[in-house]
Amino acid sequence: MKPGIPKGTRDFSSTEVAKRNYIFNTIKHSFENFGFQPIETPSFENSETLMGKYGEEGDRLIFKILNSGDYLKKVDENLLADKNSQKVTSKISEKALRYDLTVPFARYVVQHQNEITFPFKRYQIQPVWRADRPQKGRFREFYQCDADVVGSTSLWQEVEFVQLYDTVFSKLGLKGTTIKINNRKILSGIAEVIGASDKLIDFTVALDKLDKIGKDGVVKEMLEKGISAEAIEKVDPLFNFSGSNQDKLASLEAMLQGSEEGLQGVADLRTVVDSVESIGLDSASLELDVTLARGLNYYTGAIYEVAAPEGVKMGSIGGGGRYDDLTGIFGLKDVSGVGISFGLDRIYLVMEELGLFEAVELPKPKVLFLNFDESESLEKVKIIKTLRSNDIKAEMYPDVATSNNQQKKQWKYAINREIEFVVTTVENGTLVVKDMAVGEQTTCSLDELINKVQ
């Protein structure tokens, strides 16, 4: 049988890992520079922790884990005969792979609330899993890099997250990204003024797809969900919203005069937009996008989404928002939170496409000891131990060369791995060393080699 991996997953070469680590380290450094602390949570959670938190569509994409042992033994035969997979699943699976990092974080906050100092600023860089249809930039296993603040309702946190996005993408050289922002209160207000408050989720999920399926597709989906043609006509201006952020805020204010919640959303958004415009951004731009909904049930205030620089065909490379009641589902009321996520895998693809990765240096020894004489091997290994204790990467070619061809193979290994210093022989503490950069061979002591390399 030919070996393979599941669809939507990938192997990573040493070079790819090094490039990914470059992105990880840039994001991590920025997180810590902004005062966030790291935590980690398990790769799988109890099913009840995850189910029902992402809406109907999200629930379908959660990978369920079968119970250990004979998981069908306790399932009623009539239930199996009915072939109702949803009912059977709850009997045979009590755990699931995490779908994102936000819901597990909310669970963490509730579980550890007595150990946490609020406001709590945390970051988390771990893989998540979704049973999605694989395509470019969309995988079934991928990393999320999240930063969240819980325990504060201040809009300054929302301003800071715009700055954090700008900082990271500027450091990565991804200039020209667009940070799109909206507020769930505005969407609720629009639903209210058109008389569709009872259809808020259907309204926002459909509106969020505008850039994918166009106006006609959104209208069709809204009609199918029971939103009246009259209501849709009232929101027609949203499909062609244009002008500056200030123009859009003024238009929204006029449209939402009949909704207190909607006007509060406009006021909140104005505070963030005005503050960011006053502070300034390094390379990103901030754009008010009133169609931005992100479809997730738990957002209650600000909503973020980051688009790659123009000309790169890629879905969002970041997103997030405010969730005032997420911890409430786990029993901890009145703890507001706001957070953002970086889509590492999509960021990687965008950087590859734009040629933004510099030459990546893979981990390698600084000094390589060739192995031409078995009698010298033990002494070489002892010297290598001393080099390593001086924080100098060193190794010995493992196999002894017994012919000219095998000696050539060892030299080729040194050249291919771009080793700087090659030691050929060691005798009575004297080392014969070749500086590969200049092609010069010298004789020196161990101390002299350490000084030369350092």
Side-chain angles (χ1 to χ4, degrees):
M1 184 177 167
K2 198 175 179 181
I5 58 175
K7 284 182 180 178
T9 64
R10 295 149 298 158
D11 290 322
F12 298 106
S13 68
S14 300
T15 301
E16 288 166 332
V17 169
K19 289 177 179 178
R20 285 162 65 85
N21 283 342
Y22 166 68
I23 300 173
F24 281 136
N25 292 337
T26 303
I27 294 172
K28 181 182 173 184
H29 179 267
S30 297
F31 282 165
E32 293 182 355
N33 206 21
F34 275 67
F36 292 88
Q37 300 173 337
I39 69 161
E40 290 189 0
T41 59
S43 57
F44 56 93
E45 297 270 351
N46 293 325
S47 296
E48 60 199 28
T49 299
L50 304 178
M51 298 300 288
K53 311 305 187 301
Y54 306 100
E56 210 175 298
E57 205 170 329
D59 281 355
R60 283 200 301 270
L61 300 180
I62 291 173
F63 276 108
K64 285 81 177 175
I65 300 172
L66 288 173
N67 293 340
S68 304
D70 190 355
Y71 51 84
L72 285 177
K73 194 174 183 180
K74 294 179 182 178
V75 181
D76 185 87
E77 286 185 20
N78 294 325
L79 196 60
L80 289 173
D82 284 345
K83 295 185 177 179
N84 186 321
S85 59
Q86 286 187 324
K87 287 182 179 177
V88 172
T89 299
S90 64
K91 303 290 182 186
I92 65 174
S93 172
E94 296 167 2
K95 293 174 283 293
L97 292 176
R98 59 171 173 244
Y99 175 90
D100 74 351
L101 299 177
T102 307
V103 171
F105 172 53
R107 190 264 311 148
Y108 176 95
V109 170
V110 175
Q111 204 170 333
H112 299 275
Q113 57 187 286
N114 296 325
E115 306 150 31
I116 291 171
T117 301
F118 292 99
F120 180 47
K121 298 177 74 171
R122 89 78 167 87
Y123 77 83
Q124 203 170 338
I125 300 176
Q126 288 186 280
V128 299
W129 294 267
R130 296 183 186 179
D132 219 338
R133 186 169 63 87
Q135 52 188 284
K136 184 186 177 183
R138 180 169 289 178
F139 306 100
R140 288 177 171 170
E141 178 185 60
F142 57 97
Y143 266 81
Q144 282 190 339
C145 310
D146 282 15
D148 289 77
V149 183
V150 290
S152 170
T153 57
S154 171
L155 294 175
W156 286 113
Q157 304 291 358
E158 287 159 40
V159 173
E160 186 172 72
F161 279 125
V162 175
Q163 292 179 286
L164 179 54
Y165 267 139
D166 179 50
T167 298
V168 169
F169 290 124
S170 297
K171 283 186 175 180
L172 290 173
L174 265 175
K175 295 177 180 175
T177 56
T178 302
I179 304 166
K180 297 179 181 180
I181 189 169
N182 196 13
N183 195 296
R184 197 64 179 252
K185 292 172 188 172
I186 289 173
L187 295 168
S188 298
I190 293 168
E192 185 183 340
V193 297
I194 67 171
S197 290
D198 60 329
K199 300 281 186 182
L200 175 61
I201 297 298
D202 293 330
F203 172 75
T204 55
V205 168
L207 191 63
D208 196 44
K209 296 176 183 174
L210 182 64
D211 60 338
K212 298 182 187 79
I213 61 177
K215 177 184 173 181
D216 292 342
V218 171
V219 170
K220 184 183 175 205
E221 187 168 321
M222 286 183 175
L223 288 169
E224 287 171 355
K225 294 292 186 179
I227 298 169
S228 70
E230 292 78 19
I232 296 170
E233 199 173 324
K234 288 179 184 175
V235 297
D236 190 68
L238 297 181
F239 298 128
N240 300 293
F241 227 45
S242 60
S244 69
N245 288 337
Q246 297 297 340
D247 292 336
K248 292 174 183 176
L249 285 167
S251 299
L252 283 171
E253 199 165 36
M255 184 187 294
L256 294 168
Q257 282 305 310
S259 169
E260 189 180 334
E261 185 179 10
L263 290 173
Q264 183 59 57
V266 174
D268 290 353
L269 207 47
R270 181 173 272 120
T271 298
V272 176
V273 169
D274 287 351
S275 299
V276 170
E277 285 180 0
S278 180
I279 297 164
L281 297 175
D282 291 333
S283 68
S285 59
L286 183 66
E287 179 189 312
L288 197 169
D289 183 352
V290 76
T291 67
L292 180 61
R294 289 192 63 78
L296 294 179
N297 287 351
Y298 51 65
Y299 291 131
T300 55
I303 308 167
Y304 302 100
E305 192 163 281
V306 184
E310 219 170 304
V312 180
K313 289 186 179 178
M314 184 64 67
S316 64
I317 57 175
R322 180 170 286 279
Y323 41 90
D324 282 334
D325 55 1
L326 189 61
T327 55
I329 56 180
F330 298 119
L332 184 61
K333 302 291 184 186
D334 303 320
V335 179
S336 183
V338 60
I340 60 170
S341 181
F342 290 82
L344 170 100
D345 298 277
R346 288 184 177 183
I347 291 170
Y348 181 100
L349 292 173
V350 172
M351 290 182 67
E352 280 276 66
E353 190 170 326
L354 295 175
L356 294 176
F357 286 114
E358 295 178 8
V360 174
E361 188 171 321
L362 298 176
K364 62 182 179 183
K366 194 97 170 169
V367 182
L368 174 70
F369 287 73
L370 300 184
N371 197 352
F372 294 167
D373 187 342
E374 182 72 59
S375 66
E376 294 181 6
S377 297
L378 183 59
E379 192 176 351
K380 285 177 180 176
V381 170
K382 287 178 180 177
I383 292 171
I384 287 169
K385 182 183 178 184
T386 304
L387 290 173
R388 288 171 178 168
S389 68
N390 280 273
D391 204 26
I392 294 171
K393 298 185 183 77
E395 70 176 47
M396 181 177 70
Y397 193 91
D399 303 304
V400 181
T402 56
S403 67
N404 283 337
N405 278 342
Q406 288 179 4
Q407 287 189 11
K408 287 177 184 176
K409 185 180 177 182
Q410 293 191 23
W411 280 110
K412 189 177 179 183
Y413 176 85
I415 293 164
N416 287 347
R417 292 200 68 189
E418 299 177 343
I419 310 295
E420 290 182 52
F421 298 96
V422 174
V423 179
T424 52
T425 58
V426 175
E427 192 175 345
N428 299 323
T430 303
L431 292 73
V432 177
V433 183
K434 185 169 184 178
D435 184 333
M436 298 295 281
V438 295
E440 186 179 278
Q441 188 165 291
T442 56
T443 304
C444 63
S445 67
L446 175 56
D447 288 340
E448 287 170 335
L449 175 62
I450 290 171
N451 290 331
K452 186 194 293 264
V453 174
Q454 287 178 335

